[in-house]
Amino acid sequence: MRPMRLAVLTAVLALGAAACGGTTKSSVTSAPAEPPASSAAAASADPNAPIKPGLKLAFLPKQINNPYMTIVAKAGEEAAAEFQGEAKEVGPSDASASSQISYINTLTQQGHDAILISANDPNAVCGPLNQAREKGIKIVSYDSDAAPECRDLFINQARSEEIGRSQIQLLAEMIGHKGEIAILSATANATNQNTWIEFMKDELTKPEYKDMELVKVAYGDDDDQKSFTETQGLLQAYPDLKGIISPTTVGVAAAARYISGSKYKGEVVLTGLGTPNQMRQFVKDGTVEKFALWNPKDLGYLASYAAAALVSGQITGAEGETFQAGRLGERTVGANGEIILGPPFTFEASNIDDFDF
């Protein structure tokens, strides 16, 4: 990434568009679990405490074969090295609701200082996460939140409302605010996806979108082939479809691959959340005009520093606490333990070659 662009992006971000595979506050409908007795909420913060040496952090993504999640975890590992800690990535190969549970249990047994998780389901992971907390392990969710009662912090790439509304605004601009649209999501239980989609639906109720209609929300399960097939199905089922939003890195790349080789190229507008490297060819061949994302490297980097600050006692997760996040500078804990990375950034032909991730 060119230095000037990095500075601009860091300032703009200072998501938290493909990946996402990628998240966001959850709307938890089940009864809240009792927080563990060892919850940091009762502790007091010491902002001057040094980061403890030799911290062991573990990133648990939705799935390990997701390129977006890999970028996040690698950046987290790099950050850990800066404060003389260690971080690793472990996780399932599928993004089902219960697939992360066995990994949480194993990491708990191994005695890690912090588990950083992008939750496939906000509630399915709650029990094992609270068992980890009872043993003194700090829990930091990132990208896709766990239920707030079973984690200490949530690193949100951007405000959920900002992500959801901006996706509709971006697509509407490209289709002239008219026509049928569809959404290609990740899994049906993904916290971030569902929160963004609710804001998309709400944005569509505004008068300026009266000539746009959301006809379908499809789910590709963050699986490349299923997302490819779901895109094909959408286009065949809705012959008047004007645009697709895929707010997941796996989904948007798969959709672009299908459209690029079909009769729909140049006819159906595709946007969503993706990384520049995976979307570059589709921007250059005219399949995709614009898409969005935050910098996943910054997301993983911030998550590592937040976990280190939490474990070291610099913060407890209470609103208003601050800590230093390396090259990203001072960060503040918001309501419900949420730390925001920054607003989405739009990639297009004029700037995509300025970024390499």
Side-chain angles (χ1 to χ4, degrees):
M1 187 180 296
R2 295 178 185 172
M4 182 177 73
R5 282 292 182 181
L6 176 60
V8 171
L9 182 57
T10 301
V12 173
L13 296 178
L15 252 23
C20 323
T23 298
T24 295
K25 289 186 180 179
S26 59
S27 299
V28 181
T29 55
S30 62
E34 289 295 325
S38 61
S39 171
S44 59
D46 179 5
N48 297 316
I51 292 181
K52 294 180 178 179
L55 294 181
K56 294 172 59 180
L57 312 181
F59 279 78
L60 178 53
K62 293 178 181 177
Q63 55 186 155
I64 57 171
N65 56 352
N66 185 319
Y68 166 84
M69 293 293 174
T70 299
I71 293 171
V72 174
K74 289 297 182 184
E77 293 170 9
E78 293 169 5
E82 291 181 3
F83 50 76
Q84 288 72 56
E86 295 182 4
K88 67 178 183 180
E89 180 190 32
V90 298
S93 58
D94 68 279
S96 63
S98 61
S99 62
Q100 295 172 309
I101 292 176
S102 64
Y103 291 90
I104 297 171
N105 293 335
T106 297
L107 292 171
T108 300
Q109 293 169 1
Q110 291 174 345
H112 284 72
D113 293 294
I115 297 173
L116 300 93
I117 181 171
S118 177
N120 280 321
D121 182 285
N123 299 302
V125 294
C126 231
L129 287 180
N130 272 337
Q131 290 174 6
R133 295 173 80 198
E134 289 170 358
K135 295 182 180 296
I137 298 171
K138 302 302 183 183
I139 305 299
V140 177
S141 61
Y142 66 93
D143 178 71
S144 186
D145 202 5
E149 63 267 19
C150 43
R151 50 79 170 157
D152 299 292
L153 292 173
F154 171 43
I155 313 303
N156 197 352
Q157 52 267 57
R159 298 187 188 281
S160 302
E161 179 172 1
E162 193 170 27
I163 295 172
R165 295 191 189 281
S166 67
Q167 290 281 281
I168 292 293
Q169 292 162 5
L170 192 59
L171 180 62
E173 172 192 334
M174 292 186 285
I175 65 172
H177 288 76
K178 293 182 180 180
E180 295 180 349
I181 67 170
I183 296 171
L184 175 63
S185 185
T187 63
N189 294 320
T191 316
N192 55 343
Q193 301 283 316
N194 290 336
T195 305
W196 298 339
I197 290 169
E198 286 305 308
F199 281 116
M200 290 183 206
K201 290 178 178 178
D202 186 69
E203 181 71 10
L204 284 169
T205 64
K206 294 180 179 180
E208 56 262 44
Y209 308 106
K210 61 182 177 60
D211 294 323
M212 290 173 59
E213 179 187 4
L214 175 61
V215 295
K216 178 75 173 180
V217 178
Y219 298 95
D221 292 344
D222 261 351
D223 177 83
D224 177 78
Q225 187 55 50
K226 185 175 182 183
S227 298
F228 184 91
T229 302
E230 288 291 332
T231 302
Q232 182 182 35
L234 283 172
L235 293 167
Q236 291 176 347
Y238 301 97
D240 295 326
L241 201 64
K242 296 299 181 185
I244 297 174
I245 296 172
S246 187
T248 155
T249 51
V250 175
V252 75
R257 196 173 78 253
Y258 176 78
I259 292 174
S260 68
S262 75
K263 65 181 180 180
Y264 302 102
K265 180 179 177 180
E267 299 296 324
V268 176
V269 173
L270 172 66
T271 192
L273 302 179
T275 66
N277 286 355
Q278 71 176 160
M279 297 302 292
R280 182 173 286 106
Q281 69 182 93
F282 303 117
V283 170
K284 293 194 171 185
D285 73 9
T287 301
V288 175
E289 180 183 349
K290 298 179 182 180
F291 66 96
L293 193 60
W294 44 91
N295 189 334
K297 291 182 179 179
D298 287 351
L299 181 62
Y301 186 92
L302 177 58
S304 266
Y305 267 95
L310 188 65
V311 174
S312 302
Q314 295 177 352
I315 58 175
T316 66
E319 184 174 3
E321 293 174 342
T322 61
F323 66 98
Q324 290 294 323
R327 60 175 171 76
L328 296 179
E330 185 177 271
R331 294 294 163 135
T332 302
V333 180
N336 299 314
E338 184 178 25
I339 300 170
I340 302 291
L341 178 60
F345 182 85
T346 299
F347 298 91
E348 54 191 314
S350 65
N351 64 27
I352 196 166
D353 283 337
D354 295 329
F355 302 93
D356 182 19
F357 63 86

